[in-house]
Amino acid sequence: MRTPIMAANWKMQKTADETAAFLAGFLPLVETTADVEIVIAPPFTSLDRASQQLRNASVHLSAQNVSNEEKGAFTGEISVSMLQEFSCTYTIVGHSERRGLYGETDTLISQKAAMLLSHEILPIVCVGETLEEREADRTFDVLRTQLSGSLAGVPAERVPEIVIAYEPVWAIGTGKTATPEIAQEAHAFIRRELVASWGESGQQTRIQYGGSVKPENVFDLMKCPDIDGALVGGASLEPDSFSKIVHFEQQGGE
Ligand code: PEP
């Protein structure tokens, strides 16, 4: 049984004050939910305030990135032990914006994932093809390469704990959601790859879908057998909208 995991990726949005205001509005809307895991990934500068506000809440905190280095002369970087100070349960690695805008490679992402796991923070590892790659019929090759490269540093016994986010780049922030059929096809492929590499423990890994998820489409996406949650950008910025996504079961038929 894979517990659905709904994560908000705020990217470079919300100051610490805005984060506090969001949480003050959001927490009363979701506090009773026990059968869905809720994760908020604010900017680094909001982690301190958010961790204090979430102390007695069942909402988990995530960072959006981490250094692959433990400590040292790496100006502008944030280390895993710095994230531990804010009780981060998760950290996103390999988001397509990091891959595309900052040149992050599968090798670097794999080092980050391993660094996180060795400090008991769980990586949410993002993979996904561009529109060009999909149109050239290369989606599965790209996913296979990204998965094997980005997970190369993950010890086999930790595979059930990590989270994969399948985020087709053409669906991120564009309003163009993958249809449930397209998403399920990619998720089933990812599941098969995990099982082929790590055996049955790959059945326990949760695979989130990300790319223009909103209250109106989350129910149909979550009905797919291999979609275990969502990584949400734009629609996670307002308490009302993200709480509807968290309560995806109530969105059917709307
Ligand atoms: C994301 O940034 O991970 C994302 C999926 O964004 P959006 O929901 O806005 O497409």
Side-chain angles (χ1 to χ4, degrees):
M1 165 71 186
R2 299 186 295 259
T3 304
I5 174 167
M6 298 307 201
N9 173 20
W10 287 350
K11 313 187 185 195
M12 199 173 70
Q13 281 153 144
K14 292 198 191 291
T15 61
D17 280 349
E18 288 164 347
T19 298
F22 174 96
L23 290 175
F26 178 71
L27 291 178
L29 301 178
V30 295
E31 254 164 9
T32 52
T33 307
D35 46 3
V36 177
E37 212 177 330
I38 306 168
V39 181
I40 305 279
F44 288 129
T45 49
S46 290
L47 289 174
D48 191 7
R49 287 275 287 282
S51 70
Q52 291 171 39
Q53 246 171 312
L54 295 179
R55 197 162 287 148
N56 298 312
S58 56
V59 173
H60 297 275
L61 198 55
S62 171
Q64 299 174 15
N65 188 23
V66 67
S67 173
N68 61 322
E69 300 287 350
E70 192 111 37
K71 67 192 295 193
F74 303 102
T75 301
E77 290 290 284
I78 300 285
S79 76
V80 69
S81 49
M82 295 170 188
L83 299 183
Q84 282 180 308
E85 286 191 309
F86 304 119
S87 310
C88 287
T89 311
Y90 295 96
T91 291
I92 299 168
V93 291
H95 191 279
S96 63
E97 286 151 17
R98 304 255 10 130
R99 290 175 184 268
L101 299 172
Y102 302 102
E104 292 202 2
T105 62
D106 289 327
T107 305
L108 181 72
I109 294 159
S110 138
Q111 290 167 355
K112 292 182 177 195
M115 176 68 78
L116 288 165
L117 283 167
S118 69
H119 290 74
E120 300 308 327
I121 296 180
L122 303 175
I124 297 176
V125 181
C126 302
V127 295
E129 81 287 359
T130 62
L131 185 59
E132 213 177 19
E133 289 162 343
R134 176 162 283 271
E135 286 176 350
D137 219 7
R138 292 184 48 226
T139 297
F140 294 149
D141 286 344
V142 168
L143 292 180
R144 179 177 287 126
T145 304
Q146 289 182 345
L147 281 170
S148 62
S150 307
L151 302 184
V154 174
E157 69 277 12
R158 309 297 304 270
V159 167
E161 296 169 78
I162 66 169
V163 177
I164 305 289
Y166 168 62
E167 297 208 305
V169 179
W170 47 271
I172 297 178
T174 58
K176 268 194 220 164
T177 323
T179 61
E181 293 72 26
I182 288 177
Q184 168 56 26
E185 184 187 38
H187 281 234
F189 175 81
I190 292 169
R191 176 87 53 217
R192 284 197 300 276
E193 288 294 302
L194 293 174
V195 170
S197 300
W198 286 286
E200 283 309 296
S201 56
Q203 298 284 5
Q204 294 167 52
T205 307
R206 288 173 296 173
I207 308 174
Q208 297 177 304
Y209 168 77
S212 299
V213 173
K214 38 189 184 254
E216 296 75 26
N217 58 26
V218 67
F219 180 78
D220 286 337
L221 287 161
M222 288 300 293
K223 274 197 301 197
C224 299
D226 287 293
I227 298 185
D228 307 314
L231 182 56
V232 189
S236 72
L237 292 168
E238 294 301 327
D240 186 53
S241 163
F242 190 50
S243 72
K244 284 185 175 144
I245 289 172
V246 165
H247 298 291
F248 62 92
E249 278 158 334
Q250 296 166 17
Q251 307 311 315
E254 277 195 2

